[in-house]
């Protein structure tokens, strides 16, 4: 996984609540067996009309937001299906940071596995930031310092310290867990004597 | 210290806990399907890793499979490639697979319980949010992303942080014509789609324990629509009877040992919950959704809400957006809303009891002329059972299409989908924009309500057809 670096970008604001993963990437694009190439289909049904022509006033189709690396959205972002295609599509489009007042659990976890930073802010701060985004000026997201800088203002954000470390260092979860292999093996030994039906052998 | 059922299952699966609470949990059962697994297997291959416990893993193709004639295979090229990729991966990594021609094939959350793969007290995961279904057996079951699928395949464990405890108590009795689908729709209407975020829900109370195993699955299935990580119910004799003798259930002395362990799985009497909600069965009516989120729900006697009555700006905008998408006007009686299609199936309501419920309503009646209606059994075995009971004939005689098992129009990844502006009474679980086809309009209902709508040609009250 790529190490998470400080982002400097003009944020795009999508003022919709409960954006579900079906909206982020509709099912017809789940037939892929790859992780890449989904960016062009991000928010497909909001972004293109029935004929596949881009809808001009959709924010991610307009300059400079078509190059945004930061997406600000309404609460409960990423609800619904567990599809990791949603963060893959965001990432492939170039978005590496989402800002919302709340997320659905599975989506939130999926972001970290892909080097995307989902920031949680109180509604009032979201308002401030989304107002600011209308200026089409760059803002800075610094994970190390847990700080968003816009103009002369700053907002601090909270994040789980272990998740922060994994993002900053681009750590591979599986490798980390495999370091605990002796513990897993020990657990399995106990399991096969205490609950022999689990392995059914 | 007293513990909830969730606390107990968690503690019992703890391989390692970091100081900050990030924990490594052992996974007892892993279900795999074709849509969320190809990139996980690819990841294993790229890093030269194996599947740690192939025999704790079970795979099936369900999302992409055609539900009409299968003799010619899958015509859509991408779908076919995805299903073939699953077959190849299972072969390479030694995983048991129910292929498209296996009569045990079906929706992943239907076949797990059916085979006895789903068991009380275990941790069950799958790259699919409706894994919550399996919580009906008193297991901790939840959906994961594809990176996590790869993690489980490689390590048989998962990194998790603990959720909070939420108890929803439903007491009393269900009125005639009201089902567990109405119970869960009412719950979601009450707590909202983010009401359960950060929690694991335990469903309790006399009404919940009076439900059959299959009805319990419907409730746990839609827990994810309330935002919770998982939903579970304390296992009881009904669960043990259901599992006994199933192909993958414990046998002989293992059965006795398992039963002994399973019988003790319950929340302590004085266990504390971080959040509690109570409902009374007598207040639960046949429900139907009007909008594009499962929380947009009213009783069948209700009217479409008016956004102007909303004080909250976000809520007002979201109602307006929904109504525009759904082509509905505020104040309309929901019973006056005409439908074009009916879908009976999905992991929420594609089991044998669901089909029986619907068949009872439509028996000796015809569906409305302008309606196209389909039944998609949840698995090959459900289909077989229904045919033995003659339900297929009841459906076909009334004008329903009787199809092969799979996810079908629940998410419209195969050829079964709504056209723009087509309106559907559906027994599935999501009424999101475009979920059943671009521009399609979904109203979530119980199987009986779907049958009633098929007959009337409009959303209708199932109680009218009870005899
Ligand atoms: S039936 Fe629908 S909800 Fe269930 S697994 Fe299939 S697509 Fe998902």
């Amino acid at each position: 996984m790529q190490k998470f670096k400080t982002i400097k970008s003009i944020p795009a604001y999508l003022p919709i609540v409960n954006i579900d993963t079906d909206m982020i990437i509709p099912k017809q694009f789940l037939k892929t067996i790859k992780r890449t190439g989904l960016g062009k289909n991000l928010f497909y049904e909001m972004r293109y009309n029935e004929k596949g022509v881009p809808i001009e006033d959709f924010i991610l189709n307009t300059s400079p937001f078509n190059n945004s690396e930061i997406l600000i959205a309404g609460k409960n972002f990423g609800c619904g299906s567990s599809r990791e295609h949603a963060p893959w599509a965001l990432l492939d489009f170039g978005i590496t940071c989402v800002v919302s007042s709340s997320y659905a659990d599975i989506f939130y976890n999926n972001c970290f596995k892909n080097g995307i930073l989902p920031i949680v802010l109180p509604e009032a701060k979201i308002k401030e930031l989304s107002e600011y985004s209308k200026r089409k000026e760059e803002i800075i997201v610094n994970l190390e310092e847990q700080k968003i800088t816009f103009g002369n203002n700053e907002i601090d954000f909270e994040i789980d310290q272990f998740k922060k470390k994994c993002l900053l260092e681009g750590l591979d979860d599986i490798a980390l867990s495999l370091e605990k292999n002796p513990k897993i093996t020990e657990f399995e030994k106990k399991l096969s004597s205490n609950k022999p039906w689990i392995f059914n052998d | 210290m007293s513990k909830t059922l969730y606390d107990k299952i968690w503690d019992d699966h703890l391989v390692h806990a970091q100081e900050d609470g990030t924990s490594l949990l052992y996974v007892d059962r892993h279900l795999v399907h074709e849509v969320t697994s190809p990139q996980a297997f690819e990841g294993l291959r790229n890093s030269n890793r194996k599947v740690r416990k192939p025999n704790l893993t079970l795979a099936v193709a369900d999302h992409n499979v055609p539900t009409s004639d299968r003799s010619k295979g899958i015509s859509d090229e991408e779908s076919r490639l995805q299903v073939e990729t699953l077959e190849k991966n299972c072969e390479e990594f030694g995983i048991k697979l129910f292929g498209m021609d296996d009569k045990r094939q079906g929706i992943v959350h239907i076949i797990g319980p059916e085979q006895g793969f789903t068991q009380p007290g275990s941790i069950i995961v799958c790259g699919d949010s409706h894994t919550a279904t399996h919580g009906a057996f008193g297991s901790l079951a939840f959906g994961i992303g594809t990176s996590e699928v790869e993690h489980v395949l490689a390590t048989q464990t998962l990194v998790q942080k603990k959720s909070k405890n939420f108890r929803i108590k439903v007491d009393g009795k269900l009125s005639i014509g009201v089902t567990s689908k109405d119970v869960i729709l009412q719950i979601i209407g009450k707590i909202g789609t983010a009401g359960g975020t950060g929690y694991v829900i335990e469903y309790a109370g006399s009404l919940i324990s009076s439900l059959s195993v299959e009805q319990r699955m419907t409730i746990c299935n839609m827990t994810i629509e309330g935002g919770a990580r998982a939903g579970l119910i304390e296992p009881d004799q009904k669960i043990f009877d259901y599992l006994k003798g199933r192909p993958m259930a414990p046998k002989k002395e293992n059965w006795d040992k398992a039963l002994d362990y399973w019988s003790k799985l319950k929340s302590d009497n004085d266990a504390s919950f971080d959040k509690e909600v109570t409902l009374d069965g007598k207040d639960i009516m046949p429900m139907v959704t009007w909008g594009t989120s499962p929380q947009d729900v009213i009783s069948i006697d209700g009217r479409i809400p008016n956004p102007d009555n909303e004080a909250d700006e976000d809520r007002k905008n979201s109602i307006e957006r929904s109504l525009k998408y759904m082509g509905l006007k505020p104040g309309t009686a929901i019973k006056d809303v005409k439908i074009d299609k009916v879908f009976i199936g999905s992991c929420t309501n594609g089991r044998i009891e669901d089909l029986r419920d619907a068949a009872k309503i439509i028996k000796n009646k015809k569906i409305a002329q302008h309606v196209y209606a389909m039944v998609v059994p949840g698995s090959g075995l459900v289909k077989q059972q229904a045919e033995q009971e003659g339900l297929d004939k009841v459906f076909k005689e009334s004008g329903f299409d009787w199809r092969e098992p799979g996810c079908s129009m629940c998410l419209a990844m195969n050829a079964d989908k709504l056209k723009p502006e087509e309106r559907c009474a559906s027994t599935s679980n999501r009424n999101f924009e475009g979920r059943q086809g671009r521009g399609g309009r979904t109203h979530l209902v119980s199987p009986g309500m779907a049958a009633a709508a098929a007959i009337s040609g409009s959303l209708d009250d199932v109680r009218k057809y009870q005899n």
Side-chain angles (χ1 to χ4, degrees):
Chain A
M1 201 170 76
Q2 286 263 323
K3 288 183 185 175
F4 189 90
K5 300 209 183 69
T6 294
I7 311 173
K8 208 171 162 196
S9 168
I10 297 170
Y13 176 47
L14 211 51
I16 304 175
V17 297
N18 297 323
I19 293 182
D20 56 71
T21 52
D22 276 77
M23 266 156 127
I24 300 174
I25 184 87
K27 66 256 165 181
Q28 62 267 37
F29 306 111
L30 307 189
K31 295 182 182 180
T32 174
I33 55 170
K34 296 206 275 298
R35 287 172 197 252
T36 48
L38 288 165
K40 57 181 185 298
N41 305 321
L42 177 70
F43 292 116
Y44 189 85
E45 282 168 17
M46 290 196 258
R47 215 164 127 209
Y48 304 96
N49 70 14
E50 277 104 90
K51 297 196 184 83
V53 179
I55 295 168
E56 291 205 347
D57 59 358
F58 183 70
I59 184 146
L60 298 181
N61 287 336
T62 61
S63 173
F65 302 111
N66 51 353
N67 288 315
S68 287
E69 292 168 42
I70 302 165
L71 181 70
I72 308 169
K75 67 177 176 214
N76 198 27
F77 189 82
C79 59
S81 151
S82 65
R83 58 188 70 164
E84 201 162 315
H85 308 70
W88 294 338
L90 287 166
L91 194 66
D92 197 63
F93 181 87
I95 289 168
T96 46
C97 176
V98 186
V99 186
S100 174
S101 61
S102 64
Y103 299 89
D105 282 340
I106 305 178
F107 175 83
Y108 186 74
N109 280 325
N110 281 342
C111 282
F112 289 98
K113 316 278 175 197
N114 293 284
I116 298 175
L117 170 63
I119 297 179
V120 184
L121 290 182
E123 294 281 357
K125 297 283 174 198
I126 299 277
K127 229 181 200 119
E128 230 177 284
L129 209 56
S130 55
E131 274 304 313
Y132 190 84
S133 74
K134 289 181 192 152
R135 298 190 188 191
K136 304 186 184 174
E137 284 173 19
E138 283 184 338
I139 68 169
I140 300 170
V141 174
N142 184 326
L143 174 57
E144 184 77 58
E145 291 176 17
Q146 298 180 210
K147 214 181 261 318
I148 304 175
T149 313
F150 56 108
N152 297 323
N153 301 309
E154 279 182 358
I155 302 175
D156 294 331
F157 60 87
E158 293 295 318
I159 184 155
D160 178 290
Q161 291 306 302
F162 180 64
K163 288 196 159 87
K164 173 178 171 180
K165 180 178 144 123
C166 290
L167 273 186
L168 285 173
E169 296 176 20
L171 293 178
D172 170 5
D173 250 20
I174 299 182
L176 280 179
S177 296
L178 283 174
E179 285 171 11
K180 315 236 166 63
N181 193 29
K183 286 206 161 195
I184 303 175
T185 310
E186 193 191 318
F187 187 94
E188 283 174 336
K189 247 198 227 131
K190 267 200 303 194
L191 188 59
S192 78
S193 66
N194 294 347
K195 299 187 202 165
W197 64 91
I198 296 291
F199 293 118
N200 227 351
D201 50 23
Chain B
M1 213 183 80
S2 4
K3 290 185 195 174
T4 65
L5 177 54
Y6 168 55
D7 298 336
K8 291 180 186 180
I9 300 178
W10 177 278
D11 290 350
D12 221 24
H13 288 80
L14 204 56
V15 175
H16 175 79
Q18 275 173 212
E19 248 168 53
D20 69 348
T22 306
S23 303
L24 199 63
L25 295 180
Y26 198 77
V27 173
D28 303 302
R29 297 285 183 261
H30 187 192
L31 290 153
V32 170
H33 68 72
E34 81 275 21
V35 181
T36 55
S37 68
Q39 296 85 353
F41 285 110
E42 186 63 25
L44 287 185
R45 252 191 304 272
N46 290 343
S47 40
N48 260 321
R49 288 174 179 140
K50 286 200 172 53
V51 175
R52 185 177 178 99
K53 288 281 175 196
N55 59 349
L56 300 187
T57 315
L58 178 63
V60 70
D62 55 2
H63 284 63
N64 274 287
V65 299
T67 59
S68 50
D69 180 18
R70 285 187 182 166
S71 57
K72 291 184 230 65
I74 307 178
S75 59
D76 181 275
E77 207 166 308
E78 283 183 295
S79 292
R80 192 178 61 236
L81 179 65
Q82 207 167 49
V83 172
E84 284 171 3
T85 305
L86 181 69
E87 286 165 6
K88 277 196 212 124
N89 285 330
C90 287
E91 205 186 313
E92 181 183 338
F93 290 95
I95 291 168
K96 188 181 193 122
L97 165 79
F98 293 165
M100 212 168 76
D101 299 321
D102 196 312
K103 76 166 193 287
R104 297 167 297 179
Q105 181 269 342
I107 305 169
V108 64
H109 309 306
I110 300 222
I111 65 154
E114 203 166 68
Q115 293 300 317
F117 187 72
T118 301
Q119 294 169 12
S122 51
I123 289 191
I124 304 175
V125 300
C126 172
D128 194 283
S129 58
H130 290 98
T131 309
T133 315
H134 309 263
F137 290 78
S139 58
L140 176 59
F142 51 90
I144 55 178
T146 298
S147 297
E148 292 176 311
V149 169
E150 185 181 338
H151 190 284
V152 176
L153 289 171
T155 68
Q156 204 56 38
T157 63
L158 196 63
V159 182
Q160 286 286 298
K161 266 211 161 164
K162 202 165 171 202
S163 307
K164 287 182 281 187
N165 282 290
F166 185 171
R167 179 163 58 188
I168 298 184
K169 258 183 100 184
V170 195
D171 284 314
K173 275 213 261 217
L174 287 180
S175 321
I176 290 182
V178 181
T179 67
S180 63
K181 179 68 166 280
D182 305 298
V183 176
I184 188 64
L185 283 173
Q186 186 137 347
I187 288 174
I188 295 162
K190 188 164 173 146
I191 68 172
T193 49
T197 305
Y199 292 92
V200 162
I201 297 177
E202 176 170 346
Y203 299 98
S206 57
L207 190 144
I208 299 290
S209 29
S210 75
L211 295 175
S212 71
V213 174
E214 297 198 351
Q215 288 172 325
R216 292 179 197 184
M217 285 193 247
T218 304
I219 296 214
C220 289
N221 171 277
M222 285 192 74
T223 301
I224 187 70
E225 263 59 67
R229 195 91 185 101
L232 44 76
I233 297 171
E234 165 188 320
D236 60 6
Q237 196 57 41
K238 282 186 199 165
I239 296 288
F240 311 145
D241 292 344
Y242 176 99
L243 284 173
K244 183 138 204 188
R246 303 240 163 208
M248 297 183 182
K251 306 263 145 43
K252 296 184 188 146
E253 62 271 29
N254 271 352
W255 172 263
D256 298 332
K257 284 184 198 159
L259 197 61
D260 187 47
Y261 176 79
W262 295 346
S263 325
K264 296 185 188 113
L265 290 166
K266 47 175 74 55
S267 290
D268 294 328
N269 286 336
D270 52 351
S272 73
F273 288 82
D274 304 287
K275 188 170 172 179
E276 289 211 59
V277 163
T278 314
L279 270 81
D280 193 323
K282 71 174 184 325
D283 302 328
I284 302 174
M285 303 284 148
M287 304 297 280
V288 50
T289 61
W290 53 265
T292 54
S293 160
Q295 72 185 16
D296 299 339
V297 65
I298 48 177
S299 87
I300 187 65
D301 296 321
R303 288 178 182 275
I304 312 284
N306 192 334
D308 293 339
N309 300 338
E310 275 299 325
D312 181 64
E313 196 63 21
D314 274 350
R315 185 71 193 134
K316 182 172 176 237
N317 292 341
S318 114
I319 294 179
E320 272 169 2
R321 187 183 163 93
S322 288
L323 292 184
K324 187 166 166 228
Y325 180 87
M326 294 296 289
L328 293 172
K329 293 220 164 46
T332 314
I334 194 83
K335 264 190 235 164
D336 292 339
V337 174
K338 228 172 129 183
I339 54 146
D340 308 297
K341 285 192 170 163
V342 171
F343 171 65
I344 297 179
S346 88
C347 59
T348 311
N349 284 127
R351 285 171 286 268
I352 189 69
E353 288 179 16
D354 301 314
L355 304 194
R356 286 180 193 143
D357 268 5
K360 220 168 52 198
I361 303 296
I362 55 144
K363 192 162 185 178
N364 299 326
K365 298 196 181 65
K366 290 270 184 265
I367 64 172
Q369 251 183 359
H370 67 274
V371 168
Y372 168 80
M374 71 201 287
V375 185
V376 182
S379 74
L381 294 177
V382 169
K383 181 170 187 246
Q384 190 179 39
Q385 172 75 27
E387 286 172 355
Q388 272 166 15
E389 295 178 19
L391 304 185
D392 58 325
K393 286 202 199 70
V394 174
F395 282 115
K396 284 191 259 185
E397 275 162 16
S398 72
F400 269 85
D401 206 355
W402 177 252
R403 301 178 76 100
E404 299 295 328
C407 293
S408 177
M409 208 162 68
C410 173
L411 94 163
M413 241 181 121
N414 67 0
D416 312 336
K417 54 180 79 141
L418 296 179
K419 294 194 199 79
E421 300 193 359
E422 261 183 352
R423 192 180 294 286
C424 178
S426 175
T427 67
S428 56
N429 43 52
R430 285 186 178 140
N431 49 350
F432 296 161
E433 288 181 21
R435 171 78 178 184
Q436 296 195 293
R438 185 174 182 138
R441 296 162 172 169
T442 303
H443 295 273
L444 302 176
V445 288
S446 71
M449 288 279 285
I455 303 165
S456 309
S458 307
L459 294 167
D460 203 358
D461 193 336
V462 59
R463 291 172 294 190
K464 204 165 103 183
Y465 295 99
Q466 299 284 343
N467 29 31

